[in-house]
Amino acid sequence: MTDADQVRNSVVEEALGKLDLDTKARLLAGQDMWSLPAVPEIGLQSLVMSDGPIGVRGVRWTADDPSIALPSPTALAAAWDPALARRAGRLLAQEARRKGVHVLLAPTVNLHRSPLGGRHFECYSEDPYLTGAVGAGYVNGVQDGGVGTTVKHFVGNDAETERFTADSVIAPRPLRELYLAPFEAIVANAHPWGIMTAYNQVNGTTMTEHRYLVNEVLRGEWGFDGFNVSDWMAARSTTGDIEGGLDVAMPGPQTVYGPALAEAVRAGEVPESAVDEAVRNVLRLAARVGILEGAPAVVAEAPAPVDGQALARELAARGFVLVRNEDGALPLAAAGRTVALIGAAARDARVLGGGSATVFPERIVSPLDGLTAALPDGALTYSIGADPSDELAPADKGFELRAVCRDASGAVLGEGSLPTGQVQWIGNDLPAGATYETMASIEVTGAFLPRESGEHAFGTRGLGAFTLAVGGRTLWEGVQEMGNEADPFEAFFGAPSERARIDLTEGEPVEVSLTFHVPDMTALPLKAIMFSLLHLGPRRDAEELIAEAVAAARAADTAVVVVATTDRVESEGFDRKDLDLPGRQDDLVRAVAAANPNTVVVVNAGSPVELPWREDVAAVLLTWFPGQEGGAALADVLLGHAEPGGRLPTTWPARFADAPVTEVVPTEGRLEYREGLFIGYRAYEARSITPAFPFGHGLGYTDWAYESLEVTATTARVRVTNTGTRPGREVVQVYLAPVADPVERPASWLAGFAGVEAGPGESVEAEIALPARAFEIWDEEARGWQRIGGTYEVRASHSHGDTRLTATLDLG
């Protein structure tokens, strides 16, 4: 413990001693959606939290305070670079400080148990070691900037269906070796200041009340000394939560803590010492972030400023995974190149996933924007080819919208800009001046500049009473009732409803308006407003669009087709049903590839999708959800100004039927992890199934020769040589494969990795630590870790499916 730690602890104890029971109980309950109450008498400021895996939302969901939008966590993990994740964390800390945020509700380190998991894109990897390494880098970076993190969702929150109540039934070995492992590694290597406990149960006990996993494992075995906050609305029992180690129940002001907790103490149901311990954890966090008077902040001066746009662009390119590149199709030739850019997602890029991770960036660079800026005039053509969705979507391109809040008399209470027609206000997200008590209506209003002539459809999504007008004419008035949605996010992101169609002319602006009539929310414990103005442009014949794309591809040197998922495929609140690309995108790729053998496909998806045409095209580049600078990074990579630096953090199956784990829907409330230890590449290897692209796979723009491998029980040294013609980066991966294994284990698993860089002809040595845990299993009978001796084959690999060198290690 440092001198500063001792000072902080002394201040915490002194402050704690000055608090009465009611104040202590109040301090453990959110005072609103995002913050804890200030206690001026002890010099405690209000502690502010914010959503933020890829950007810092702040306390209001508004475009008037834009946020840097980094690539999705799958993209960050694809870089296989904890140091890069640390730089991303430092940028987010900078953003948090700018917005007055003390704690970031991130990172999400649940595993990619199944590719159907709805928040797959918000998690890092199918492998616990890689997840822990990247997560530790991220946490270290955020906390370098003096901002706290909450590593989430602890634990077993690996699917979205029935996520508030599902019981994740996980045997002790996979629970320890897979699902708890990233959390344990991050506690050990990054010392996070917070953990967020999940909605779900694990083995019959709700996680916010899980005394064993929180008090005995997290705090006792691992030594975690941060604060434990509930996922929003996850806390359900005053006595169960405080005895289960939950420090803070969010959001407020109505929670199971506060007055209810004080009353439980007075009634003898809860010892006041349990309340004191929770308050101590909260005060320690406040001291660390510098909002408890007399306690020195862990970070007195913020790190050097980070250029957010530049880092977002670098992160995107570093996370792009080139999974196929026949005959050096990429990078594109420097001279005489013409490019046919094809795909709706090339023009209207999806740069981030849906749900609570959503932020509003100041700008978005689409693939069309990026390539237009990078290529000479006349070298680029664009055609839609196929739209991934024929459903209405939140009004976006061509719309300039504001939200105007009025009282019952029609007087304006407050207003704010909307980058899309989507209103998602929870708690205090409302524009300044507006309150739930005084609002009678919210009007999404502004102008629309059509990009095409023809019949445009308008609609709504959300529950309640609406009035829709276009061009000053009311087109629809009505009420949308609640359906059978079990999850609030599912209700919000559910099926859109078309309300009217109207003929509009390209380039001729028209006024649009959607008025939402605010219901009485007095009795609701959590106040929120969620609705959307939706739009769908004129629908053209799909075959005609594909034919246009084929003609453009035939006339160009290279065809670049961008395919994508939509927010109806990947988002928080629901799980996926299959791995198909939506719409006619597969047909589009096949048709373009038949017309131009030099076809490059860019896959704009946060999670695996089926690519049935993958062997029919010249190159396939996975860009995930690439963040606000994705289009600029894409131009950098396609034109060879940057190398695609990514390696797969999760296995991509050849077809959905090959995915080893597809059960994400609970049966009678129970989601049984019957696969045990066998998820991801472990399962593919056990079943002798060859995936489309293996875990760890990724191609750069140079070649590498693996020259030598030396191993000890603690270290692997791998020498590699860049045998190509340009500088590059290689991720050297080390796997362990037991020989004549005396216990049941996967055939092989990742033990360590390192990134190395070298110029043409240069050699470099990677020194990779082999952690003791890589040779251990969780002994269920002894309830402890057991080292397994014997003989191991140590594999130095380019990917899990591409072993380059092996060595034998005898542990005895």
Side-chain angles (χ1 to χ4, degrees):
M1 182 180 291
T2 66
D3 291 343
D5 288 329
Q6 291 178 336
V7 172
R8 277 189 289 272
N9 286 345
S10 296
V11 173
V12 165
E13 293 303 320
E14 182 180 355
L16 178 61
K18 296 177 180 178
L19 299 177
D20 60 28
L21 174 60
D22 291 307
T23 305
K24 286 187 288 190
R26 181 166 56 90
L27 187 55
L28 303 182
Q31 67 176 351
D32 53 28
M33 186 67 185
W34 301 113
S35 68
L36 299 183
V39 184
E41 55 265 36
I42 61 169
L44 176 65
Q45 300 173 40
S46 175
L47 181 81
V48 178
M49 296 168 265
S50 171
D51 272 323
I54 57 97
V56 183
R57 244 184 62 167
V59 297
R60 293 184 184 274
W61 197 75
T62 173
D64 294 328
D65 182 17
S67 308
I68 294 289
L70 299 180
S72 62
T74 43
L76 186 61
W80 286 60
D81 189 345
L84 188 67
R86 190 165 191 160
R87 290 174 57 203
R90 286 179 175 169
L91 170 61
L92 294 176
Q94 175 179 294
E95 285 278 279
R97 293 173 79 109
R98 178 176 67 82
K99 294 189 175 214
V101 168
H102 306 117
V103 177
L104 203 57
L105 303 175
T108 304
V109 300
N110 301 109
L111 295 186
H112 293 166
R113 172 179 173 260
S114 169
L116 297 182
R119 289 174 91 170
H120 191 292
F121 63 88
E122 196 179 311
C123 308
Y124 289 131
S125 169
E126 70 188 20
D127 182 79
Y129 181 82
L130 177 60
T131 297
V134 175
Y138 180 103
V139 168
N140 277 319
V142 174
Q143 294 182 176
D144 284 346
V147 174
T149 56
T150 58
V151 188
K152 63 183 188 181
H153 306 86
F154 188 74
V155 62
N157 185 187
D158 308 296
E160 291 293 279
T161 305
E162 300 179 23
R163 61 177 176 160
F164 290 97
T165 56
D167 182 8
S168 298
V169 182
I170 314 173
R173 271 195 70 191
L175 181 60
R176 289 283 188 158
E177 295 180 24
L178 296 180
Y179 302 101
L180 286 172
F183 292 94
E184 182 182 10
I186 293 169
V187 168
N189 298 319
H191 195 61
W193 299 345
I195 291 279
M196 181 189 290
T197 42
Y199 293 119
N200 55 282
Q201 304 173 57
V202 169
N203 298 330
T205 302
T206 300
M207 274 310 305
T208 55
E209 305 169 34
H210 215 303
R211 187 183 314 184
Y212 170 66
L213 288 178
V214 173
N215 287 340
E216 296 185 32
V217 177
L218 175 64
R219 293 199 185 279
E221 292 181 25
W222 302 350
F224 172 71
D225 68 351
F227 94 132
N228 173 17
V229 62
S230 72
D231 203 341
W232 267 226
M233 300 185 294
R236 297 163 196 145
S237 167
T238 300
T239 57
D241 287 334
I242 195 70
E243 291 173 355
L246 182 71
D247 297 324
V248 172
M250 290 295 292
Q254 297 182 45
T255 80
V256 297
Y257 284 176
L261 180 57
E263 180 58 33
V265 173
R266 292 191 176 102
E269 298 169 359
V270 172
E272 190 167 354
S273 60
V275 176
D276 288 346
E277 188 57 34
V279 173
R280 185 176 285 114
N281 293 329
V282 172
L283 293 177
R284 186 183 299 116
L285 173 63
R288 285 169 167 165
V289 300
I291 60 170
L292 180 61
E293 189 175 315
V298 171
V299 177
E301 293 185 16
V306 179
D307 183 330
Q309 288 187 3
L311 182 57
R313 185 170 181 167
E314 179 186 353
L315 286 169
R318 287 287 307 276
F320 289 175
V321 184
L322 184 60
V323 293
R324 179 177 172 84
N325 193 26
E326 290 300 292
D327 301 322
L330 291 180
L332 300 179
R337 57 189 167 209
T338 57
V339 175
L341 181 62
I342 298 163
R347 180 182 67 181
D348 302 331
R350 188 176 185 201
V351 301
L352 44 79
S356 59
T358 302
V359 295
F360 295 128
E362 189 172 20
R363 71 173 200 166
I364 291 176
V365 182
S366 69
L368 179 57
D369 296 332
L371 284 169
T372 298
L375 290 171
D377 289 345
L380 182 70
T381 61
Y382 171 72
S383 53
I384 293 174
D387 198 310
S389 175
D390 58 2
E391 290 186 333
L392 290 89
D396 184 3
K397 303 300 181 183
F399 289 85
E400 290 191 9
L401 301 171
R402 296 189 67 76
V404 181
C405 303
R406 293 186 171 88
D407 64 16
S409 72
V412 174
L413 299 172
E415 59 181 287
S417 60
L418 290 176
T420 74
Q422 183 171 297
V423 173
Q424 184 180 325
W425 296 338
I426 307 174
N428 294 338
D429 282 346
L430 304 177
T435 68
Y436 292 100
E437 293 74 22
T438 56
M439 274 193 308
S441 68
I442 301 165
E443 183 185 15
V444 174
T445 182
F448 172 48
L449 187 68
R451 297 190 292 188
E452 301 101 3
S453 296
E455 188 177 53
H456 290 249
F458 290 85
T460 63
R461 187 164 59 184
L463 308 176
F466 297 94
T467 302
L468 172 67
V470 178
R473 183 161 58 96
T474 297
L475 300 182
W476 178 78
E477 284 187 280
V479 177
Q480 178 66 47
E481 303 287 354
M482 182 73 176
N484 59 359
E485 299 90 353
D487 188 302
F489 273 98
E490 185 182 2
F492 176 60
F493 291 111
S497 297
E498 182 179 315
R499 303 303 187 186
R501 296 191 179 195
I502 185 171
D503 286 323
L504 300 175
T505 303
E506 178 184 350
E508 293 187 7
V510 62
E511 293 180 3
V512 296
S513 170
L514 177 67
T515 301
F516 172 73
H517 303 282
V518 179
D520 181 4
M521 289 183 280
T522 306
L524 296 181
L526 177 62
K527 296 174 175 58
I529 293 176
M530 296 182 177
F531 70 92
S532 298
L533 168 65
L534 305 179
H535 169 260
L536 182 65
R539 294 292 85 190
R540 292 179 54 199
D541 179 73
E543 295 298 334
E544 182 182 321
L545 289 173
I546 291 174
E548 286 181 1
V550 166
R554 194 173 283 123
D557 296 324
T558 301
V560 176
V561 185
V562 182
V563 297
T565 59
T566 69
D567 65 3
R568 295 272 282 138
V569 174
E570 292 184 86
S571 181
E572 179 178 354
F574 56 86
D575 293 307
R576 299 164 73 189
K577 301 295 189 291
D578 54 45
L579 303 183
D580 296 342
L581 283 169
R584 296 283 303 277
Q585 295 181 100
D586 287 334
D587 294 337
L588 171 67
V589 172
R590 290 188 182 97
V592 169
N596 188 331
N598 213 22
T599 292
V600 175
V601 181
V602 175
V603 183
N604 179 196
S607 315
V609 291
E610 283 193 35
L611 308 176
W613 33 258
R614 62 189 179 279
E615 295 181 0
D616 301 327
V617 299
V620 179
L621 181 68
L622 312 182
T623 62
W624 315 105
F625 297 142
Q628 66 176 60
E629 304 298 317
L634 179 63
D636 291 340
V637 167
L638 293 181
L639 302 180
H641 305 315
E643 182 179 41
R647 304 293 185 265
L648 285 180
T650 200
T651 308
W652 277 48
R655 54 191 186 129
F656 174 53
D658 291 343
V661 181
T662 57
E663 186 178 357
V664 293
V665 176
T667 300
E668 297 183 350
R670 290 165 57 91
L671 183 58
E672 300 201 28
Y673 288 42
R674 295 187 181 90
E675 69 282 351
L677 298 170
F678 296 93
I679 66 170
Y681 65 86
R682 294 165 167 82
Y684 285 91
E685 189 170 23
R687 298 182 184 187
S688 300
I689 296 174
T690 301
F693 305 112
F695 175 79
H697 174 63
L699 307 171
Y701 286 159
T702 190
D703 297 312
W704 297 88
Y706 281 58
E707 307 286 356
S708 64
L709 167 63
E710 299 176 3
V711 299
T712 69
T714 59
T715 308
R717 290 183 173 84
V718 185
R719 189 169 185 81
V720 296
T721 298
N722 181 346
T723 59
T725 60
R726 53 180 288 160
R729 180 177 186 272
E730 173 74 337
V731 178
V732 179
Q733 302 161 39
V734 174
Y735 297 86
L736 296 180
V739 178
D741 203 352
V743 296
E744 182 189 26
R745 282 187 289 184
S748 64
W749 57 89
L750 180 70
F753 64 90
V756 295
E757 297 180 1
E762 293 180 353
S763 298
V764 62
E765 185 176 85
E767 183 172 320
I768 301 168
L770 302 180
R773 183 58 55 78
F775 300 96
E776 296 175 345
I777 68 165
W778 180 257
D779 187 321
E780 295 185 354
E781 291 186 7
R783 293 169 64 93
W785 292 99
Q786 177 188 357
R787 185 173 176 86
I788 306 299
T791 302
Y792 290 82
E793 182 180 76
V794 182
R795 301 172 178 172
S797 303
H798 175 73
S799 73
H800 183 256
D802 185 0
T803 298
R804 301 293 178 89
L805 296 171
T806 62
T808 299
L809 175 65
D810 291 312
L811 284 187

